[in-house]
Short mmCIF file of all heavy atoms in Angstrom, two decimals:
data_model
loop_
_atom_site.label_atom_id
_atom_site.label_comp_id
_atom_site.label_asym_id
_atom_site.label_seq_id
_atom_site.Cartn_x
_atom_site.Cartn_y
_atom_site.Cartn_z
N PHE P 958 -32.80 -23.50 19.02
CA PHE P 958 -31.92 -23.80 17.82
C PHE P 958 -31.51 -22.41 17.28
O PHE P 958 -31.72 -22.12 16.01
CB PHE P 958 -32.67 -24.64 16.82
CG PHE P 958 -33.31 -25.88 17.24
CD1 PHE P 958 -34.70 -26.04 17.28
CD2 PHE P 958 -32.49 -26.93 17.49
CE1 PHE P 958 -35.26 -27.28 17.59
CE2 PHE P 958 -32.89 -28.17 17.91
CZ PHE P 958 -34.28 -28.35 17.91
N PRO P 959 -30.66 -21.68 17.91
CA PRO P 959 -30.21 -20.39 17.41
C PRO P 959 -29.37 -20.46 16.17
O PRO P 959 -29.41 -19.62 15.26
CB PRO P 959 -29.44 -19.69 18.52
CG PRO P 959 -29.03 -20.83 19.39
CD PRO P 959 -30.16 -21.91 19.27
N GLU P 960 -28.65 -21.57 16.03
CA GLU P 960 -27.85 -21.80 14.91
C GLU P 960 -28.58 -22.14 13.58
O GLU P 960 -28.02 -22.09 12.49
CB GLU P 960 -26.72 -22.87 15.08
CG GLU P 960 -27.35 -24.22 15.29
CD GLU P 960 -27.88 -24.60 16.67
OE1 GLU P 960 -28.17 -23.75 17.50
OE2 GLU P 960 -28.16 -25.80 16.95
N TYR P 961 -29.91 -22.41 13.73
CA TYR P 961 -30.81 -22.75 12.65
C TYR P 961 -31.90 -21.69 12.38
O TYR P 961 -32.91 -21.94 11.77
CB TYR P 961 -31.38 -24.17 12.85
CG TYR P 961 -30.63 -25.25 12.89
CD1 TYR P 961 -30.14 -25.96 14.03
CD2 TYR P 961 -30.07 -25.77 11.65
CE1 TYR P 961 -29.21 -27.03 13.95
CE2 TYR P 961 -29.17 -26.89 11.58
CZ TYR P 961 -28.84 -27.42 12.68
OH TYR P 961 -27.89 -28.50 12.62
N ALA P 962 -31.61 -20.48 12.83
CA ALA P 962 -32.51 -19.38 12.67
C ALA P 962 -32.97 -19.22 11.12
O ALA P 962 -34.12 -19.04 10.78
CB ALA P 962 -32.15 -18.16 13.31
N GLU P 963 -31.97 -19.21 10.39
CA GLU P 963 -32.20 -18.99 8.94
C GLU P 963 -32.91 -20.12 8.30
O GLU P 963 -33.85 -19.87 7.49
CB GLU P 963 -30.94 -18.65 8.20
CG GLU P 963 -30.96 -18.41 6.70
CD GLU P 963 -29.58 -18.01 6.14
OE1 GLU P 963 -28.85 -17.23 6.71
OE2 GLU P 963 -29.39 -18.36 4.90
N ARG P 964 -32.51 -21.41 8.69
CA ARG P 964 -33.18 -22.45 8.13
C ARG P 964 -34.74 -22.51 8.64
O ARG P 964 -35.53 -22.93 7.79
CB ARG P 964 -32.47 -23.76 8.71
CG ARG P 964 -33.08 -25.14 8.28
CD ARG P 964 -32.62 -25.41 6.97
NE ARG P 964 -33.04 -26.84 6.67
CZ ARG P 964 -33.85 -27.13 5.65
NH1 ARG P 964 -34.09 -26.41 4.70
NH2 ARG P 964 -34.23 -28.43 5.45
N MET P 965 -35.00 -22.11 9.92
CA MET P 965 -36.33 -22.09 10.29
C MET P 965 -37.21 -21.09 9.50
O MET P 965 -38.22 -21.47 8.98
CB MET P 965 -36.44 -21.66 11.77
CG MET P 965 -36.16 -22.84 12.77
SD MET P 965 -36.53 -22.51 14.51
CE MET P 965 -34.92 -21.83 14.94
N ARG P 966 -36.61 -20.02 9.11
CA ARG P 966 -37.32 -18.95 8.27
C ARG P 966 -37.60 -19.62 6.93
O ARG P 966 -38.63 -19.45 6.30
CB ARG P 966 -36.49 -17.63 8.18
CG ARG P 966 -36.62 -16.83 9.43
CD ARG P 966 -36.09 -15.46 9.17
NE ARG P 966 -34.61 -15.42 8.94
CZ ARG P 966 -33.69 -15.56 9.88
NH1 ARG P 966 -34.06 -15.45 11.17
NH2 ARG P 966 -32.39 -15.51 9.67
N ALA P 967 -36.60 -20.29 6.35
CA ALA P 967 -36.77 -20.92 5.02
C ALA P 967 -37.81 -22.05 4.99
O ALA P 967 -38.44 -22.20 4.00
CB ALA P 967 -35.37 -21.44 4.63
N LEU P 968 -37.95 -22.70 6.11
CA LEU P 968 -38.90 -23.81 6.15
C LEU P 968 -40.30 -23.38 6.56
O LEU P 968 -41.34 -24.22 6.36
CB LEU P 968 -38.42 -24.90 7.33
CG LEU P 968 -37.47 -25.88 6.85
CD1 LEU P 968 -36.87 -26.61 8.04
CD2 LEU P 968 -37.74 -26.77 5.77
N GLN P 969 -40.44 -22.16 6.82
CA GLN P 969 -41.83 -21.68 7.14
C GLN P 969 -42.68 -21.76 5.88
O GLN P 969 -42.25 -21.37 4.75
CB GLN P 969 -41.82 -20.18 7.66
CG GLN P 969 -41.30 -20.08 9.02
CD GLN P 969 -41.29 -18.60 9.51
OE1 GLN P 969 -41.38 -17.67 8.73
NE2 GLN P 969 -41.06 -18.54 10.84
N GLY P 970 -43.81 -22.33 5.99
CA GLY P 970 -44.62 -22.64 4.79
C GLY P 970 -44.58 -24.16 4.41
O GLY P 970 -45.45 -24.63 3.73
N ASP P 971 -43.51 -24.78 4.87
CA ASP P 971 -43.39 -26.26 4.67
C ASP P 971 -44.37 -26.87 5.58
O ASP P 971 -44.36 -26.66 6.82
CB ASP P 971 -42.00 -26.79 4.89
CG ASP P 971 -41.85 -28.23 4.95
OD1 ASP P 971 -42.04 -28.96 5.94
OD2 ASP P 971 -41.53 -28.78 3.84
N SER P 972 -45.35 -27.75 5.08
CA SER P 972 -46.39 -28.31 5.93
C SER P 972 -45.84 -29.05 7.07
O SER P 972 -46.47 -29.05 8.20
CB SER P 972 -47.43 -29.03 5.04
OG SER P 972 -46.82 -30.16 4.44
N ARG P 973 -44.95 -29.94 6.84
CA ARG P 973 -44.46 -30.72 7.95
C ARG P 973 -43.84 -29.92 9.11
O ARG P 973 -44.10 -30.05 10.23
CB ARG P 973 -43.45 -31.81 7.49
CG ARG P 973 -43.13 -32.72 8.53
CD ARG P 973 -42.37 -34.00 7.99
NE ARG P 973 -42.03 -34.84 9.15
CZ ARG P 973 -40.75 -35.35 9.35
NH1 ARG P 973 -39.86 -35.08 8.43
NH2 ARG P 973 -40.55 -36.06 10.40
N PHE P 974 -42.99 -28.95 8.69
CA PHE P 974 -42.33 -28.04 9.60
C PHE P 974 -43.31 -27.28 10.36
O PHE P 974 -43.30 -27.19 11.69
CB PHE P 974 -41.31 -27.13 8.95
CG PHE P 974 -40.65 -26.18 9.91
CD1 PHE P 974 -39.68 -26.64 10.81
CD2 PHE P 974 -41.23 -24.78 9.99
CE1 PHE P 974 -39.06 -25.62 11.59
CE2 PHE P 974 -40.54 -24.03 10.82
CZ PHE P 974 -39.58 -24.37 11.72
N ASP P 975 -44.26 -26.57 9.65
CA ASP P 975 -45.29 -25.82 10.28
C ASP P 975 -46.16 -26.65 11.32
O ASP P 975 -46.47 -26.19 12.37
CB ASP P 975 -46.30 -25.25 9.23
CG ASP P 975 -45.58 -24.07 8.45
OD1 ASP P 975 -44.45 -23.66 8.81
OD2 ASP P 975 -46.12 -23.70 7.43
N LYS P 976 -46.54 -27.90 10.88
CA LYS P 976 -47.30 -28.85 11.75
C LYS P 976 -46.53 -29.09 13.03
O LYS P 976 -47.06 -28.98 14.19
CB LYS P 976 -47.66 -30.09 11.11
CG LYS P 976 -48.61 -30.99 11.86
CD LYS P 976 -48.96 -32.24 11.11
CE LYS P 976 -49.68 -33.23 11.98
NZ LYS P 976 -50.02 -34.29 11.26
N LEU P 977 -45.30 -29.44 12.92
CA LEU P 977 -44.45 -29.84 14.06
C LEU P 977 -44.17 -28.57 14.97
O LEU P 977 -44.27 -28.59 16.15
CB LEU P 977 -43.13 -30.37 13.63
CG LEU P 977 -43.19 -31.83 13.10
CD1 LEU P 977 -41.76 -32.16 12.44
CD2 LEU P 977 -43.54 -32.81 14.16
N ALA P 978 -43.92 -27.44 14.41
CA ALA P 978 -43.65 -26.22 15.06
C ALA P 978 -44.87 -25.80 15.81
O ALA P 978 -44.70 -25.37 17.06
CB ALA P 978 -43.15 -25.08 14.14
N ALA P 979 -46.05 -25.87 15.25
CA ALA P 979 -47.27 -25.49 15.88
C ALA P 979 -47.56 -26.48 17.14
O ALA P 979 -47.94 -26.04 18.22
CB ALA P 979 -48.44 -25.64 14.99
N ALA P 980 -47.22 -27.78 16.99
CA ALA P 980 -47.46 -28.70 17.97
C ALA P 980 -46.47 -28.38 19.18
O ALA P 980 -46.82 -28.46 20.34
CB ALA P 980 -47.37 -30.22 17.53
N TYR P 981 -45.24 -28.10 18.82
CA TYR P 981 -44.20 -27.88 19.71
C TYR P 981 -44.59 -26.53 20.57
O TYR P 981 -44.57 -26.62 21.74
CB TYR P 981 -42.88 -27.58 19.13
CG TYR P 981 -41.77 -27.19 20.13
CD1 TYR P 981 -40.96 -28.25 20.58
CD2 TYR P 981 -41.49 -25.92 20.38
CE1 TYR P 981 -40.01 -27.86 21.58
CE2 TYR P 981 -40.54 -25.66 21.40
CZ TYR P 981 -39.82 -26.65 21.89
OH TYR P 981 -38.84 -26.34 22.84
N HIS P 982 -45.10 -25.54 19.80
CA HIS P 982 -45.47 -24.34 20.54
C HIS P 982 -46.64 -24.57 21.49
O HIS P 982 -46.56 -24.05 22.56
CB HIS P 982 -45.84 -23.17 19.58
CG HIS P 982 -46.30 -21.91 20.10
ND1 HIS P 982 -45.45 -21.08 20.68
CD2 HIS P 982 -47.46 -21.40 20.29
CE1 HIS P 982 -46.00 -20.03 21.16
NE2 HIS P 982 -47.32 -20.31 20.89
N LYS P 983 -47.58 -25.39 21.03
CA LYS P 983 -48.80 -25.58 21.87
C LYS P 983 -48.38 -26.35 23.23
O LYS P 983 -48.80 -25.98 24.23
CB LYS P 983 -49.90 -26.49 21.03
CG LYS P 983 -50.97 -26.77 21.80
CD LYS P 983 -51.94 -27.61 20.98
CE LYS P 983 -53.25 -27.93 21.71
NZ LYS P 983 -53.28 -28.79 22.83
N ILE P 984 -47.56 -27.43 23.04
CA ILE P 984 -47.20 -28.28 24.20
C ILE P 984 -46.23 -27.30 25.11
O ILE P 984 -46.38 -27.47 26.36
CB ILE P 984 -46.69 -29.59 23.92
CG1 ILE P 984 -46.56 -30.55 25.07
CG2 ILE P 984 -45.22 -29.51 23.36
CD1 ILE P 984 -47.85 -31.09 25.31
N ASN P 985 -45.37 -26.49 24.44
CA ASN P 985 -44.52 -25.73 25.30
C ASN P 985 -45.34 -24.72 26.18
O ASN P 985 -44.98 -24.40 27.34
CB ASN P 985 -43.51 -24.97 24.33
CG ASN P 985 -42.37 -24.38 25.09
OD1 ASN P 985 -41.83 -24.89 25.95
ND2 ASN P 985 -42.20 -23.06 24.79
N HIS P 986 -46.36 -24.20 25.56
CA HIS P 986 -47.24 -23.24 26.20
C HIS P 986 -47.84 -23.99 27.42
O HIS P 986 -47.99 -23.38 28.45
CB HIS P 986 -48.18 -22.53 25.32
CG HIS P 986 -49.10 -21.68 25.93
ND1 HIS P 986 -48.79 -20.46 26.30
CD2 HIS P 986 -50.48 -21.81 26.32
CE1 HIS P 986 -49.78 -19.77 26.94
NE2 HIS P 986 -50.83 -20.69 26.92
N GLU P 987 -48.47 -25.17 27.11
CA GLU P 987 -49.06 -25.79 28.25
C GLU P 987 -48.12 -26.13 29.38
O GLU P 987 -48.53 -26.11 30.48
CB GLU P 987 -49.65 -27.13 27.58
CG GLU P 987 -50.80 -26.95 26.67
CD GLU P 987 -51.34 -28.21 25.94
OE1 GLU P 987 -50.72 -29.33 26.27
OE2 GLU P 987 -52.19 -28.08 25.12
N ILE P 988 -46.86 -26.48 29.00
CA ILE P 988 -45.85 -26.77 30.10
C ILE P 988 -45.59 -25.46 30.92
O ILE P 988 -45.60 -25.55 32.16
CB ILE P 988 -44.55 -27.36 29.49
CG1 ILE P 988 -44.85 -28.73 28.96
CG2 ILE P 988 -43.48 -27.33 30.48
CD1 ILE P 988 -43.71 -29.20 28.06
N ILE P 989 -45.43 -24.34 30.22
CA ILE P 989 -45.24 -23.15 30.93
C ILE P 989 -46.32 -22.86 31.90
O ILE P 989 -46.21 -22.37 32.98
CB ILE P 989 -44.99 -22.02 29.87
CG1 ILE P 989 -43.52 -22.13 29.23
CG2 ILE P 989 -45.03 -20.68 30.59
CD1 ILE P 989 -43.39 -21.35 28.09
N MET P 990 -47.63 -22.95 31.35
CA MET P 990 -48.80 -22.74 32.14
C MET P 990 -48.80 -23.66 33.47
O MET P 990 -49.17 -23.25 34.53
CB MET P 990 -50.02 -22.86 31.34
CG MET P 990 -50.31 -21.86 30.29
SD MET P 990 -50.58 -20.17 30.94
CE MET P 990 -49.05 -19.35 30.58
N ALA P 991 -48.41 -24.92 33.21
CA ALA P 991 -48.50 -25.89 34.32
C ALA P 991 -47.27 -25.56 35.37
O ALA P 991 -47.58 -25.61 36.55
CB ALA P 991 -48.29 -27.33 33.82
N GLU P 992 -46.19 -25.30 34.83
CA GLU P 992 -45.02 -24.99 35.76
C GLU P 992 -45.18 -23.70 36.56
O GLU P 992 -44.66 -23.69 37.66
CB GLU P 992 -43.66 -24.87 34.90
CG GLU P 992 -43.19 -26.20 34.36
CD GLU P 992 -42.05 -26.04 33.47
OE1 GLU P 992 -41.71 -24.93 32.99
OE2 GLU P 992 -41.22 -27.04 33.31
N SER P 993 -45.86 -22.70 35.92
CA SER P 993 -46.10 -21.52 36.76
C SER P 993 -47.47 -21.59 37.51
O SER P 993 -47.84 -20.59 37.98
CB SER P 993 -46.07 -20.33 35.67
OG SER P 993 -47.24 -20.51 34.76
N ASN P 994 -48.07 -22.72 37.51
CA ASN P 994 -49.36 -23.01 38.30
C ASN P 994 -50.50 -22.14 37.85
O ASN P 994 -51.36 -21.96 38.55
CB ASN P 994 -49.00 -22.72 39.78
CG ASN P 994 -48.34 -23.92 40.45
OD1 ASN P 994 -48.58 -25.07 40.01
ND2 ASN P 994 -47.44 -23.69 41.27
N VAL P 995 -50.44 -21.54 36.60
CA VAL P 995 -51.50 -20.93 35.99
C VAL P 995 -52.60 -21.98 35.69
O VAL P 995 -53.89 -21.77 36.02
CB VAL P 995 -51.14 -20.15 34.75
CG1 VAL P 995 -52.41 -19.58 34.06
CG2 VAL P 995 -50.30 -19.04 35.09
N GLU P 996 -52.23 -23.12 35.16
CA GLU P 996 -53.12 -24.20 34.90
C GLU P 996 -52.27 -25.50 35.49
O GLU P 996 -51.71 -26.20 34.80
CB GLU P 996 -53.18 -24.39 33.36
CG GLU P 996 -54.01 -23.34 32.84
CD GLU P 996 -54.20 -23.40 31.24
OE1 GLU P 996 -53.96 -24.49 30.75
OE2 GLU P 996 -54.53 -22.39 30.57
N PRO P 997 -52.40 -25.63 36.81
CA PRO P 997 -51.66 -26.65 37.47
C PRO P 997 -52.08 -28.14 36.98
O PRO P 997 -53.28 -28.31 36.50
CB PRO P 997 -52.09 -26.61 38.87
CG PRO P 997 -52.78 -25.30 39.10
CD PRO P 997 -53.21 -24.90 37.72
N THR P 998 -51.15 -29.02 37.03
CA THR P 998 -51.39 -30.42 36.64
C THR P 998 -50.60 -31.35 37.57
O THR P 998 -49.74 -30.82 38.28
CB THR P 998 -51.03 -30.65 35.18
OG1 THR P 998 -51.51 -31.89 34.83
CG2 THR P 998 -49.56 -30.48 34.87
N ASP P 999 -50.78 -32.61 37.55
CA ASP P 999 -49.99 -33.51 38.32
C ASP P 999 -48.59 -33.81 37.81
O ASP P 999 -48.43 -33.40 36.58
CB ASP P 999 -50.73 -34.79 38.68
CG ASP P 999 -50.94 -35.57 37.43
OD1 ASP P 999 -50.09 -36.06 36.78
OD2 ASP P 999 -52.20 -35.86 37.12
N ASP P 1000 -47.61 -34.17 38.50
CA ASP P 1000 -46.35 -34.36 38.07
C ASP P 1000 -46.23 -35.41 36.93
O ASP P 1000 -45.35 -35.23 36.01
CB ASP P 1000 -45.50 -34.90 39.21
CG ASP P 1000 -45.21 -33.75 40.19
OD1 ASP P 1000 -45.40 -32.62 39.85
OD2 ASP P 1000 -44.78 -34.11 41.30
N PHE P 1001 -47.12 -36.47 36.96
CA PHE P 1001 -47.07 -37.46 35.85
C PHE P 1001 -47.44 -36.80 34.44
O PHE P 1001 -46.85 -37.10 33.41
CB PHE P 1001 -47.99 -38.67 36.16
CG PHE P 1001 -47.56 -39.40 37.32
CD1 PHE P 1001 -48.27 -39.35 38.53
CD2 PHE P 1001 -46.41 -40.08 37.37
CE1 PHE P 1001 -47.86 -39.99 39.68
CE2 PHE P 1001 -45.97 -40.85 38.39
CZ PHE P 1001 -46.76 -40.74 39.68
#
């Protein structure tokens, strides 16, 4: 969301945004680890 960079900064500290962003970051990291076979998982 490059077009929302300023809005993301403004929303930092908002509990709903922070919770969703943290969950997104966590699952994104898990996907990267699986795709790079650092922490392999099945396709499903």
Side-chain angles (χ1 to χ4, degrees):
F958 301 116
E960 68 278 17
Y961 290 106
E963 188 175 317
R964 177 83 171 125
M965 280 189 268
R966 283 190 294 277
L968 282 171
Q969 288 178 348
D971 176 271
S972 62
R973 183 162 182 234
F974 177 80
D975 290 347
K976 182 179 175 183
L977 288 171
Y981 180 92
H982 179 73
K983 181 181 183 295
I984 196 77
N985 190 49
H986 178 74
E987 290 172 4
I988 291 168
I989 291 167
M990 294 289 106
E992 287 177 341
S993 60
N994 285 322
V995 172
E996 295 178 14
T998 189
D999 63 61
D1000 289 341
F1001 296 110

